[in-house]
Amino acid sequence: KLWRSQAALFIRWIMDSGSNHSRREALWKYVRESTNGHANEALFRECFGVNYTEALRRLTAYLPHARTNYFSIQVTRLYDEPDYTLNEAAVGEISLIKGRLDRLEIGYIQEHFPRLTDKYTSQARRTLMKSFHEGDRNPRLLAEIGLLECDAGNDNKAWSYLHLAVEKKVVHPRVYYELARIEYAPLKPLEPERKLTAKQVDHVIGLLKAAVQQSPPLPEAFELMAEVWMQSEFKLQSTQFKFLQEGTRLYPRRVKLIYATALLNALNQEAAEAAALVTKGLLVATNEEQRNLFLNLRTAMENDSLLQTYPNEHPLQ
């Protein structure tokens, strides 16, 4: 909460710069560069001309002014209205939009009014299936039906719709993740010493690669990818590690993902990358249990006892 308040005050300070637009231009530069993964104090100093300590001092001095004064932003540039054509919505389009909204409501209902969950699920199902029963096989409709069944806990029923949506090359990262999750479930080794072959995991990994290459790439997809590879018998290649490295870059506070990626790197003799991830994990760990995971991994790496310490352990359990 404190961090969010400081961030809001910072933006307010930037925008409340009167006729001096240099701070605003510096903000846009900082945002552009930050999206490329270069958000650090050096970039901050380059854009704003001060370090973090001085910026905090200035924000503190600005706070009393912000609490008692208002300012307005005048739009200096207008954009031409885009050229578009309005069409009457078809039954399938209406069904898809209403059904998606109904599905997205279920999470809120489940949390605040759990007794009404079944009613809302049935309503969303009726809305989506109306078009399906009329012969509509739009991949987005199939995706919504499949995700609704996932949310309702009906993985067996969800599989057929998700499978059809993927066959039709739907663009929806969660569809690929959920299908991979469902298809991986029966492959999980029951005995700790048993490992999966490349042939067994190729299809699941293919679905997960498609999931993380779409927008937004879900953290759960990266974590499941790490889990599948952890249970596989083959040595990972550098191209495969790139997917997990991208995941830790996009989700730098996702402790489970960082730990799984560090352990996979360590087991595959990528010592430098593993050590860097352990250091990152120790910085973002939020409790003693998480810190111990990284400390134990570091100890095993330093003592060259990885295979004894982690013979068949699953990093996300």
Side-chain angles (χ1 to χ4, degrees), residues 216-236:
L218 304 177
E220 296 85 356
F222 288 111
E223 289 175 350
L224 183 57
M225 185 181 290
E227 175 180 339
V228 173
W229 275 331
M230 185 61 65
Q231 299 286 15
S232 304
E233 64 181 11
F234 52 88
K235 179 179 172 64
L236 295 186

Side-chain angles (χ1 to χ4, degrees), residues 201-309:
V201 303
D202 273 353
H203 179 60
V204 173
I205 291 296
L207 290 169
L208 292 171
K209 285 181 178 178
V212 300
Q213 289 174 323
Q214 294 185 11
S215 181
L218 304 177
E220 296 85 356
F222 288 111
E223 289 175 350
L224 183 57
M225 185 181 290
E227 175 180 339
V228 173
W229 275 331
M230 185 61 65
Q231 299 286 15
S232 304
E233 64 181 11
F234 52 88
K235 179 179 172 64
L236 295 186
Q237 305 299 315
S238 59
T239 53
Q240 295 167 314
F241 273 117
K242 286 180 180 178
F243 286 98
L244 298 181
Q245 290 165 353
E246 177 66 4
T248 59
R249 185 188 72 81
L250 292 172
Y251 300 101
R253 295 184 177 274
R254 198 83 174 190
V255 173
K256 290 197 298 184
L257 177 59
I258 295 171
Y259 175 65
T261 307
L263 181 52
L264 275 169
N265 273 276
L267 292 173
N268 283 268
Q269 287 80 52
E270 299 289 342
E273 184 65 25
L277 287 166
V278 167
T279 300
K280 178 186 290 188
L282 288 169
L283 290 173
V284 300
T286 58
N287 56 55
E288 205 60 33
E289 183 181 0
Q290 291 178 349
R291 286 185 57 80
N292 287 336
L293 284 174
F294 291 104
L295 290 172
N296 291 340
L297 177 55
R298 174 182 285 175
T299 299
M301 291 169 59
E302 291 173 349
N303 296 338
D304 199 21
S305 60
L306 277 169
L307 296 181
Q308 291 77 28
T309 309

Side-chain angles (χ1 to χ4, degrees), residues 5-288:
S5 298
Q6 289 175 335
L9 180 64
F10 175 70
I11 297 298
R12 164 73 184 261
W13 175 69
I14 291 291
M15 303 307 291
D16 189 8
S17 55
S19 59
N20 179 10
H21 298 294
S22 60
R23 286 211 302 257
R24 298 183 188 181
E25 292 303 321
L27 175 65
W28 310 141
K29 178 182 178 181
Y30 184 72
V31 170
R32 285 194 300 270
E33 293 294 327
S34 297
T35 58
N36 295 324
H38 304 306
N40 52 42
E41 190 166 8
L43 175 63
F44 188 90
R45 190 184 301 109
E46 176 188 336
C47 294
F48 301 107
V50 295
N51 58 20
Y52 288 159
T53 303
E54 176 61 16
L56 184 58
R57 188 193 66 77
R58 295 188 185 186
L59 286 178
T60 303
Y62 174 71
L63 180 58
H65 174 83
R67 295 179 62 183
T68 57
N69 292 275
Y70 297 89
F71 77 100
S72 60
I73 299 175
Q74 300 296 324
V75 178
T76 58
R77 182 175 56 177
L78 297 176
Y79 294 89
D80 294 333
E81 184 176 325
D83 186 23
Y84 58 87
T85 303
L86 293 176
N87 297 309
E88 290 290 332
V91 173
E93 293 169 327
I94 296 172
S95 179
L96 176 61
I97 294 171
K98 290 181 64 178
R100 177 174 174 78
L101 291 174
D102 287 346
R103 179 179 71 79
L104 294 175
E105 288 174 348
I106 294 173
Y108 178 84
I109 295 298
Q110 198 166 26
E111 180 180 356
H112 298 281
F113 309 98
R115 293 175 58 185
L116 298 177
T117 301
D118 289 344
K119 179 179 179 180
Y120 273 76
T121 301
S122 298
Q123 175 179 303
R125 188 178 286 121
R126 282 195 304 271
T127 303
L128 291 168
M129 294 305 294
K130 176 178 174 59
S131 289
F132 183 84
H133 290 318
E134 291 180 0
D136 189 348
R137 295 299 182 268
N138 184 319
R140 292 196 300 159
L141 176 67
L142 296 169
E144 287 300 322
I145 298 173
L147 293 177
L148 173 63
E149 297 304 335
C150 283
D151 293 342
N154 303 323
D155 283 353
N156 289 336
K157 194 172 181 180
W159 181 89
S160 58
Y161 298 107
L162 297 175
H163 182 72
L164 282 173
V166 168
E167 276 194 342
K168 292 177 176 289
K169 298 183 175 9
V170 69
V171 178
H172 197 314
R174 190 186 162 199
V175 169
Y176 292 83
Y177 162 72
E178 295 289 1
L179 186 58
R181 178 186 61 80
I182 293 170
E183 297 200 353
Y184 172 63
L187 298 177
K188 290 182 180 180
L190 298 178
E191 301 83 19
E193 66 277 1
R194 193 165 70 86
K195 293 290 185 179
L196 300 174
T197 65
K199 184 177 180 180
Q200 286 178 300
V201 303
D202 273 353
H203 179 60
V204 173
I205 291 296
L207 290 169
L208 292 171
K209 285 181 178 178
V212 300
Q213 289 174 323
Q214 294 185 11
S215 181
L218 304 177
E220 296 85 356
F222 288 111
E223 289 175 350
L224 183 57
M225 185 181 290
E227 175 180 339
V228 173
W229 275 331
M230 185 61 65
Q231 299 286 15
S232 304
E233 64 181 11
F234 52 88
K235 179 179 172 64
L236 295 186
Q237 305 299 315
S238 59
T239 53
Q240 295 167 314
F241 273 117
K242 286 180 180 178
F243 286 98
L244 298 181
Q245 290 165 353
E246 177 66 4
T248 59
R249 185 188 72 81
L250 292 172
Y251 300 101
R253 295 184 177 274
R254 198 83 174 190
V255 173
K256 290 197 298 184
L257 177 59
I258 295 171
Y259 175 65
T261 307
L263 181 52
L264 275 169
N265 273 276
L267 292 173
N268 283 268
Q269 287 80 52
E270 299 289 342
E273 184 65 25
L277 287 166
V278 167
T279 300
K280 178 186 290 188
L282 288 169
L283 290 173
V284 300
T286 58
N287 56 55
E288 205 60 33

